[in-house]
């Protein structure tokens, strides 16, 4: 006797193995007219949690240019829904949407789940997904920028510089989720991201009393920099600046950053300038990591939004 599938389930939709991504479901539209797609599965890999993204689309007629937000957390922690504690989500999200930009917030595999380049593969997969489903999401697939902080800034810089023609480009593009399609972006905002893991290995990590926190660089690489200098170079944005025809970059970094020294952004700015790229290096005087000690966070957010709106052609 053959049993029927449970009510509400179409057996034609049941597949094994599970699909590598899920199509967007209809959005929820708020009283403000913003359309929200929450928890879209943009990539799956057996043995790992599904990678999710959220999309917020401004009220009005699209398609809209989009900003892909990449969270920080030392590649070990973090969540697509929450900016750093110094930057209220309402401030960041509201400023992006008010500028006529869609916001795509993504998760990615943490380093103790999978070492580099898994994180970059996930970022690339998210960009491919947004392009593939741009019509459903109300996004212009030709106007996408990336914005990240700390570990997310590092990944945003890599997303802006690494392409199929880069050294090891095919291996770094990955094939997660939507397995093919362009991953180029038109602008990058990098807040206090790592630029050169080789030189950074000489910087002593600040002590974190009462916390058993793995070394983030060793966790990212699955080895020490001394053991895998080749992988450290492959994970360093400065490696890809030369010959990359880079998109415009805005680098914002606290001058008293004890976790990722300001010199990291100086090094990336110099590499980008050497490649003929357009780059703005904005120091935040006296600020530590995540802009601790600065009262200028609203202005810093506004500056990032204005930079992206200008380069993505947004119309508020």
């Amino acid at each position: 006797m053959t049993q029927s599938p449970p009510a509400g389930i179409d057996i034609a939709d049941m597949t094994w193995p599970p699909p590598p991504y899920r199509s967007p479901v209809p959005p929820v539209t708020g009283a403000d007219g913003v359309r929200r797609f929450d928890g879209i599965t943009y990539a799956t890999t057996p043995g790992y949690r599904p990678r999710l993204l959220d999309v917020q689309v401004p009220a009005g007629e699209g398609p809209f240019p989009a900003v892909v937000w990449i969270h920080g957390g030392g590649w070990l922690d973090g969540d697509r829904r929450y900016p750093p504690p110094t930057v209220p989500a309402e401030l960041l999200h509201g400023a992006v949407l008010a500028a006529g930009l869609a916001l795509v917030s993504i998760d990615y595999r943490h380093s103790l789940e999978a070492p580099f380049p898994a994180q970059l593969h996930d970022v690339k997969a998210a960009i491919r997904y947004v392009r593939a489903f741009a019509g459903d999401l109300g996004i212009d697939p030709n106007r996408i920028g990336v914005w990240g902080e700390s570990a997310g800034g590092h990944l945003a810089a890599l997303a802006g510089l690494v392409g199929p023609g880069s050294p090891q480009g095919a291996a770094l593009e990955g094939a997660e989720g939507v397995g093919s399609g362009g991953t180029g972006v038109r602008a990058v905002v990098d807040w206090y991201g790592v630029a050169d893991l080789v030189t950074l290995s000489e910087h002593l990590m600040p002590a974190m009393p009462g916390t058993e926190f793995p070394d983030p660089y060793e966790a990212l690489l699955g080895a020490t920099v001394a053991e895998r200098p080749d992988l450290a170079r492959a994970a360093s944005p400065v490696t890809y600046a030369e010959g990359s025809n880079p998109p415009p970059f805005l680098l914002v970094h606290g001058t008293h950053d004890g976790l990722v020294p300001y010199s990291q952004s100086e090094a990336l700015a110099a590499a980008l300038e050497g490649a003929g790229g357009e780059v703005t290096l904005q120091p935040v005087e006296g600020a530590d990591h995540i802009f601790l000690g600065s009262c200028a966070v609203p202005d810093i957010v506004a500056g990032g939004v204005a930079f992206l709106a200008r380069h993505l052609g947004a119309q508020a």
Side-chain angles (χ1 to χ4, degrees), residues 115-298:
F116 184 85
Q119 297 71 32
L120 180 57
H121 286 172
D122 290 348
V123 171
K124 294 279 191 175
I127 295 169
R128 283 193 297 267
Y129 185 95
V130 171
R131 282 218 162 89
F133 290 99
D136 300 279
L137 299 171
I139 285 172
D140 184 340
N142 298 313
R143 294 189 290 163
I144 297 175
V146 287
W147 186 351
E149 61 96 15
S150 195
H154 161 261
L155 294 171
L158 285 174
L161 291 170
V162 173
S166 303
Q168 307 178 56
L172 294 173
E173 286 287 310
E176 304 287 333
V178 177
S180 62
T183 61
V185 298
R186 288 181 53 169
V188 177
V189 177
D190 171 359
W191 279 358
Y192 43 85
V194 169
D196 186 341
L197 272 80
V198 176
T199 61
L200 191 60
S201 66
E202 302 168 3
H203 174 73
L204 291 176
M205 290 282 294
M208 298 182 182
T211 302
E212 293 187 10
F213 204 76
D215 181 289
Y217 311 115
E218 185 173 341
L220 179 68
L221 302 178
T224 66
V225 171
E227 291 168 336
R228 291 295 310 272
D230 57 329
L231 189 56
R233 285 190 292 271
S236 298
V238 294
T239 299
Y240 306 100
E242 185 177 354
S244 64
N245 188 26
F249 269 70
L250 172 62
L251 309 176
V252 190
H253 209 131
T255 58
H256 288 184
D257 194 324
L259 190 60
V260 179
Y262 178 72
S263 58
Q264 287 283 301
S265 285
E266 289 182 310
L268 182 54
L272 292 166
E273 289 171 352
E278 177 186 338
V279 56
T280 301
L281 174 57
Q282 179 183 335
V284 183
E285 295 296 336
D288 201 340
H289 205 62
I290 68 169
F291 304 134
L292 279 170
S294 173
C295 60
V297 167

Side-chain angles (χ1 to χ4, degrees), residues 31-144:
D32 54 4
V34 172
R35 299 187 300 283
R36 293 174 170 84
F37 303 79
D38 292 329
I40 299 174
T41 299
Y42 74 84
T44 63
T45 307
Y48 299 96
R49 62 191 166 100
R51 269 81 79 208
L52 307 180
L53 59 79
D54 300 334
V55 182
Q56 299 179 66
V57 184
E61 294 297 323
F64 295 93
V67 177
V68 175
W69 168 261
I70 311 171
H71 70 77
W75 310 282
L76 288 158
D77 199 4
D79 184 313
R80 71 186 187 280
R81 297 168 296 177
Y82 308 118
T86 48
V87 183
E90 296 79 6
L91 170 66
L92 180 69
H93 296 182
V96 170
L97 292 165
L101 298 162
L103 179 65
V104 181
S105 305
I106 71 170
D107 282 333
Y108 53 88
R109 282 171 289 179
H110 293 156
S111 57
L112 293 183
E113 295 178 87
F116 184 85
Q119 297 71 32
L120 180 57
H121 286 172
D122 290 348
V123 171
K124 294 279 191 175
I127 295 169
R128 283 193 297 267
Y129 185 95
V130 171
R131 282 218 162 89
F133 290 99
D136 300 279
L137 299 171
I139 285 172
D140 184 340
N142 298 313
R143 294 189 290 163
I144 297 175

